[in-house]
């Protein structure tokens, strides 16, 4: 209970912090706020992301000239009662600011429209159409009660936040107090003035503020979108068709250097928040050099995690929840060497490997079974790897395990073979599926009379009983990156140098699957690598982790000594 109230006059909100025993006397306040040395220089230097993020903001600016673009970092999120999760900014915010681990709750990046071609320059000096400002909650002075009394934001509780000057130095972006956000967003909105767009799903409070500003200015984006769509349909042209033409250009082989995406100016698109969300997703389809470097680092740390797990397999076998031994070993390395894991680690032994997202990880690890480990280290810049290996617990695959493993590997290799500039994203999946269907036919698992070719037909697809997921997804700040990109940019998109995605076929035979012979039941295999499209093909970023069954066995033997 707090000191100066009785339970009867406590509000429910106050009771949520009953643990607080902070004194309220003036004597305490005077003393705790005095006698502090001047704040030292936090030693902030410009992030190496500065020129890259300037280019990323210029790319976004090029797609939405004239609109005010609001990209929130997001708030702290409650874990339970008055405790929060560790802070992770929204990926669009991280991409455009370069801020990573723990930075910066409640901050909002705003790209203010300026006269076209007079805005902040990209790294090559070409002016964009916007001026960027970061609205942040700066460090409170020590004569402010927040300093010692605010368990969520106070320096005594969570450490010193950067000052506005620190944020400017670190990011190369003008920084302002978050209290200025409301007026800055509202300026010139409405009528034929500025269109205000916000990345939705990042910060409810900022969204509510944007909606209130629009309402006050008499702007109804939904109504306008409807009218514009009707106009476009009447004139026989839609934004989607125009953009598809751009992709068509690439298919003709003329534009495969990445400009296909930069050139996708949405002149005719209906301006609403979805267009901004889509744009922030699509500008991430091609990774710049720094992003590729960060992904390489994430993969390297992930491979270390896999090695640590192999060393700990005997302990996993001995423990009643051996899968937890695997999970915690992998996750400990991720936390030590990076920010965290990029998604909940899947540590699935035996039949659990047939559950695609098995993250309960509370099962036994038995000799003779295989363990499917799907894990990714997220480095401090928040880029994550996503790698899967299916390992024999004894260190040696049985014949049937090897047969299934080899089929999945062949499917992965077929997918790799088509992963080069000019192919479409969905060709990668199709190549893997051809192999999977062929093996299932060979093993007599497809239903009576169904051939692999018939199964591959859109009206068949029986083979997908044993692999219901896709073969690939883009990878970056989000494990399933660029998820809001349009279909013509993603599934139907053309592979272009700088794209990074997974290749992860699998076969999953559940313990109670009566459609397969008994010896196959309870076996799940997935092999997942992270792939960079290069000018002349691809690079397997996770090639440092063995894939061939014999190489996996030799690698495990070398680690176990
Ligand atoms: N590795 C987890 C997933 O791709 O869903
Ligand atoms: Mn994946």
């Amino acid at each position: 209970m707090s000191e100066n109230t009785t339970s009867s006059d406590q509000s429910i909100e106050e009771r949520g912090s009953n643990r607080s025993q902070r004194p309220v006397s003036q004597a305490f306040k005077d003393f705790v706020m005095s006698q502090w040395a001047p704040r030292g220089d936090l030693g902030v230097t410009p992030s190496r992301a500065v020129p890259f993020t300037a280019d990323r903001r210029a790319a976004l600016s090029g797609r939405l000239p004239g609109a005010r673009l609001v990209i929130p970092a997001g708030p702290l999120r409650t874990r339970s009662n008055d405790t929060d999760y560790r802070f992770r900014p929204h990926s669009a915010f991280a991409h455009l600011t370069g801020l990573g681990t723990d930075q910066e709750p409640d901050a909002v990046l705003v790209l203010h429209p300026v006269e076209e071609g007079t805005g902040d320059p990209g790294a090559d000096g070409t002016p964009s159409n916007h001026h960027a400002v970061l609205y942040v909650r700066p460090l409170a002075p020590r004569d402010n009660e927040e300093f010692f009394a605010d368990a969520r934001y106070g320096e005594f509780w969570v450490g010193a936040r950067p000052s506005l000057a620190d944020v400017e130095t670190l990011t190369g972006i003008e920084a302002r107090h978050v209290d200025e956000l409301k007026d800055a967003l509202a300026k010139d909105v409405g009528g034929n003035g500025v269109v205000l767009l916000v990345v939705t799903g990042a910060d409810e409070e900022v969204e509510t503020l944007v909606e209130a500003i629009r309402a006050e200015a008499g702007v109804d984006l939904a109504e306008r979108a409807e009218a514009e769509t009707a106009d476009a349909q009447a004139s026989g042209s839609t934004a989607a068709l125009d953009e598809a033409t751009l992709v068509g250009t690439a298919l003709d082989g003329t534009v495969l250097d990445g400009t296909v995406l930069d050139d996708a100016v949405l002149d005719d698109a209906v301006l609403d928040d979805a267009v901004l969300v889509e744009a922030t997703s699509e500008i991430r389809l091609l990774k710049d050099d720094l992003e590729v470097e960060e992904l390489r680092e994430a993969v390297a740390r992930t491979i270390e995690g896999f090695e640590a797990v192999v060393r700990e397999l005997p302990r996993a076998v001995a423990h009643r929840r051996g899968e937890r031994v695997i999970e915690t070993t992998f996750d400990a390395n991720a936390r030590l060497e990076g920010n965290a894991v990029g998604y909940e680690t899947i540590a699935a032994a035996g039949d659990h490997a047939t559950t695609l997202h098995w993250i309960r990880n509370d099962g036994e690890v038995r000799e003779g079974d295989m363990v499917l480990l799907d894990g990714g280290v997220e480095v401090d810049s928040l880029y994550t790897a996503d790698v899967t290996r299916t390992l024999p617990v004894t260190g040696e695959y049985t014949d049937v395990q090897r047969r299934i493993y080899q089929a999945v590997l062949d499917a992965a290799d077929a997918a790799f073979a088509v992963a080069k500039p000019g192919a479409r994203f969905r060709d990668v999946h199709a190549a893997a599926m051809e192999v999977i269907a062929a093996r299932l036919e060979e093993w007599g698992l497809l239903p009576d009379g169904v051939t692999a070719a018939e199964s591959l037909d859109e009206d068949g697809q029986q083979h997908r009983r044993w692999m219901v997921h896709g073969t690939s997804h883009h990878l970056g700040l989000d494990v399933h990156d660029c998820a809001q990109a349009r279909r013509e940019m993603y599934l139907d998109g053309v592979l272009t140098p700088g794209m990074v995605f997974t290749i992860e076929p699998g076969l999953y035979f559940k313990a109670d699957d009566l459609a397969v012979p008994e010896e196959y039941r309870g076996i799940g295999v997935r092999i997942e690598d992270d792939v960079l499209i290069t000018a002349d093909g691809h690079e397997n970023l996770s090639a440092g982790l063995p894939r061939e069954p014999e190489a996996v066995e030799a690698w495990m033997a070398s680690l176990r000594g």
Side-chain angles (χ1 to χ4, degrees), residues 175-442:
R176 297 283 189 138
H177 198 294
V178 75
D179 288 353
E180 296 179 31
L181 179 68
K182 185 174 178 199
D183 288 346
L185 292 188
K187 194 163 179 292
D188 301 328
V189 171
N192 288 328
V194 168
V195 177
L196 185 59
L197 303 179
V198 62
V199 168
T200 49
D203 189 324
E204 241 173 76
E205 247 182 69
V206 174
E207 271 175 61
T208 305
L209 174 63
V210 164
E211 276 157 21
I213 291 169
R214 283 179 190 148
E216 199 161 308
V219 176
D220 187 334
L221 285 183
E223 207 173 84
R224 213 188 51 193
E226 250 172 59
E228 287 181 23
T229 307
D231 285 353
Q233 279 166 353
S235 70
S237 116
T238 67
L241 283 178
D242 292 344
E243 289 141 23
T245 312
L246 287 169
V247 177
T249 311
L251 282 175
D252 295 337
T254 48
V255 190
L256 286 176
D257 62 356
T259 52
V260 61
L261 298 172
D262 297 342
D263 287 351
V265 180
L266 305 179
D267 281 340
D268 298 334
V270 173
L271 276 187
D272 61 12
D273 293 334
V275 169
L276 173 59
V277 171
E278 182 180 278
T280 57
S281 219
E282 289 178 359
I283 60 169
R284 283 157 51 196
L285 281 164
L286 297 187
K287 271 53 184 180
D288 60 36
D289 289 350
L290 181 63
E291 293 182 287
V292 172
E293 207 179 294
E294 296 293 343
L295 283 162
R296 285 185 197 284
E297 170 75 7
V299 170
R301 303 284 82 85
T302 297
I303 291 175
E304 286 170 7
F306 274 77
E307 290 167 350
V309 164
V310 170
R311 285 191 206 97
E312 291 295 337
L313 273 180
R315 192 161 69 87
V317 171
H319 197 282
R320 75 194 151 80
R321 295 203 292 184
E323 291 175 344
R324 290 282 166 96
V325 173
I326 293 170
E327 174 196 319
T328 53
T329 301
F330 187 85
D331 291 11
N333 178 70
R335 188 71 189 140
L336 279 171
E337 305 301 334
N339 178 50
V341 286
Y343 54 94
E344 296 298 329
T345 300
I346 297 167
D351 183 54
H352 288 163
T354 67
T355 301
L356 301 177
H357 286 172
W358 176 260
I359 57 171
R360 235 179 286 161
N361 303 340
D362 59 357
E364 282 181 63
V365 172
R366 297 183 193 88
E367 298 277 3
D369 279 348
M370 289 191 292
V371 162
L372 184 156
L373 172 58
D374 181 340
V377 173
E378 177 185 88
V379 289
D380 288 344
S381 57
L382 308 180
Y383 286 83
T384 187
D386 179 6
V387 175
T388 307
R389 290 292 183 268
T390 309
L391 310 171
V393 176
T394 58
E396 263 182 54
Y397 295 100
T398 65
D399 287 347
V400 66
Q401 288 168 351
R402 194 180 302 265
R403 189 183 321 146
I404 297 167
Y405 186 97
Q406 189 63 49
V408 175
L409 187 62
D410 291 346
D413 287 346
F416 270 103
V418 298
K420 50 188 172 207
R424 287 189 196 228
F425 188 80
R426 61 179 148 77
D427 295 340
V428 178
H429 175 65
M433 288 308 92
E434 272 189 36
V435 174
I436 293 289
R439 290 295 179 282
L440 292 167
E441 180 185 53
E442 224 172 278

Side-chain angles (χ1 to χ4, degrees), residues 343-344 346 356-357 374-376 385-388 469-470 472-475 479-480 502 504 526 528:
Y343 54 94
E344 296 298 329
I346 297 167
L356 301 177
H357 286 172
D374 181 340
D386 179 6
V387 175
T388 307
H469 62 78
S472 298
H473 56 79
H474 279 267
L475 182 69
V479 62
H480 299 159
T502 63
E504 51 173 314
R526 179 162 63 251
E528 178 174 28

